[in-house]
Amino acid sequence: MSLETEAEVREVWSSGSYAQIAPNYLPMAGQLVDRTDVGSGDDVLDVGCGTGSVAISAARRDADVVGLDITPSMLDRAAENAALAGTTDIEWREGAATNLPFGDDSFNVTLSSLGHMYGDPPDATKRELHRVTRPGGRVAFTSWTPTSLYPALGGILATRLSAGDMPAFSEPPFMWGDRDTVERRLDDGFEDVQFDRECLSYPALSPAHFWEGLVETSGMFATFLEKVDDRGGLREPMLDRIDADFDPVENAVELEYLLTSATVTESDR
Ligand SMILES: C[S@@+](CC[C@H](N)C(=O)[O-])C[C@H]1O[C@@H](n2cnc3c(N)ncnc32)[C@H](O)[C@@H]1O
């Protein structure tokens, strides 16, 4: 399994228990919706909506919302969350960030919290975000920064994987958290590009609690960890790296991310 096909991507994201992780990322979802000032009359798309955090936050502000994800089980869970939240008007659609099942100019706000970053290749994702958003509309998304904890743990894991077992992304997803890279990617078709570097505090009683939780709940992490022969040998370097970002006063691990927002301009499509 190296994420070469959409079926493999779906399988990885259906494994583990993302619904347990998602509540910890809620502040990021709320911030994204607030930053784009979503409100009544807006047509909003949430790309890689997962269990619905961004879509539901936007619908609560009376926007018309579509949540899209490549993984059907995420959409089922998102619909359950929407029912619980009382935001039942959201449309849930299956699809890929690189090939969005919507016409040109369908939305005036296109958002993604840690979702679009997994679309590969990134140029296709960028093209689709631009295509489905009306000129003058806003596109905004978050991504882990390349120097933050998850990419670092992925880097340690990668040292133990054979070349054939590495995830087959043409570029690492978290390059969407690198300001220079994003500036270059949005160079054409976007203006007023703004960046905020932020930190999310992920509650954890200790680095070991964070590590065990990650292995148990993250399908992505567990999938690649399974391919490592000496899993026990990974524990110490992983805990050391987690400890570097662990705040014992807050009882939390600090996860750095980049929030990008930009206005769509007319360009050749
Ligand atoms: C880290 S989760 C983020 C979910 C949600 N946005 C949140 O804030 O909790 C990543 C989501 O992206 C979805 N995803 C992964 N690759 C995708 C792709 N190529 N196109 C659309 N969705 C994708 C996964 O199924 C998963 O639901």
Side-chain angles (χ1 to χ4, degrees):
M1 171 102 56
S2 54
L3 303 182
E4 257 158 330
T5 65
E6 287 192 6
E8 286 184 346
V9 171
R10 274 192 284 274
E11 195 181 327
V12 166
W13 283 106
S14 321
S15 61
S17 174
Y18 185 71
Q20 275 179 266
I21 300 176
N24 298 290
Y25 299 160
L26 282 172
M28 199 190 291
Q31 183 197 26
L32 199 54
V33 171
D34 197 51
R35 186 60 49 89
T36 40
D37 213 14
V38 168
S40 173
D42 283 331
D43 294 313
V44 178
L45 172 64
D46 175 11
V47 177
C49 63
T51 53
S53 306
V54 171
I56 293 167
S57 307
R60 218 168 28 219
R61 290 170 165 237
D62 288 334
D64 290 325
V65 182
V66 179
L68 170 131
D69 204 282
I70 202 166
T71 310
S73 57
M74 291 281 187
L75 294 168
D76 293 344
R77 194 58 183 247
E80 284 171 25
N81 279 335
L84 193 58
T87 50
T88 47
D89 284 347
I90 301 171
E91 183 186 341
W92 303 105
R93 291 283 293 271
E94 190 181 326
T98 47
N99 184 22
L100 294 171
F102 309 108
D104 297 355
D105 302 339
S106 294
F107 304 95
N108 71 314
V109 184
T110 300
L111 304 175
S112 186
S113 189
L114 309 172
H116 86 297
M117 59 188 280
Y118 296 104
D120 193 69
D123 270 2
T125 304
K126 172 233 153 161
R127 216 174 30 247
E128 284 295 84
L129 297 179
H130 182 270
R131 183 184 66 75
V132 302
T133 312
R134 297 196 265 283
R138 298 290 287 173
V139 169
F141 47 77
T142 59
S143 164
W144 306 119
T145 61
T147 49
S148 64
L149 185 62
Y150 286 129
L153 299 183
I156 296 171
L157 186 52
T159 62
R160 316 283 172 113
L161 290 175
S162 66
D165 282 337
M166 296 285 277
F169 291 111
S170 56
E171 289 179 64
F174 49 77
M175 291 312 286
W176 281 108
D178 177 63
R179 191 182 160 135
D180 291 345
T181 303
V182 177
E183 266 174 354
R184 204 171 50 248
R185 288 179 181 167
L186 302 191
D187 188 36
D188 176 37
F190 295 88
E191 64 184 10
D192 188 24
V193 182
Q194 294 175 20
F195 297 101
D196 291 285
R197 241 175 135 88
E198 307 274 353
C199 248
L200 182 115
S201 295
Y202 193 110
L205 193 50
S206 71
H209 282 78
F210 182 83
W211 172 241
E212 298 300 339
L214 188 64
V215 173
E216 203 178 303
T217 55
S218 166
M220 178 69 84
F221 225 85
T223 298
F224 291 99
L225 191 61
E226 254 172 39
K227 298 173 179 173
V228 176
D229 291 335
D230 177 22
R231 251 167 279 167
L234 264 180
R235 189 179 159 84
E236 204 180 311
M238 291 295 191
L239 294 194
D240 282 350
R241 180 59 188 84
I242 295 165
D243 191 46
D245 288 357
F246 179 66
D247 180 340
V249 177
E250 295 285 329
N251 272 328
V253 170
E254 299 300 326
L255 303 174
E256 191 185 57
Y257 64 95
L258 186 73
L259 189 158
T260 302
S261 70
T263 300
V264 170
T265 60
E266 299 271 9
S267 80
D268 298 339
R269 291 187 161 157

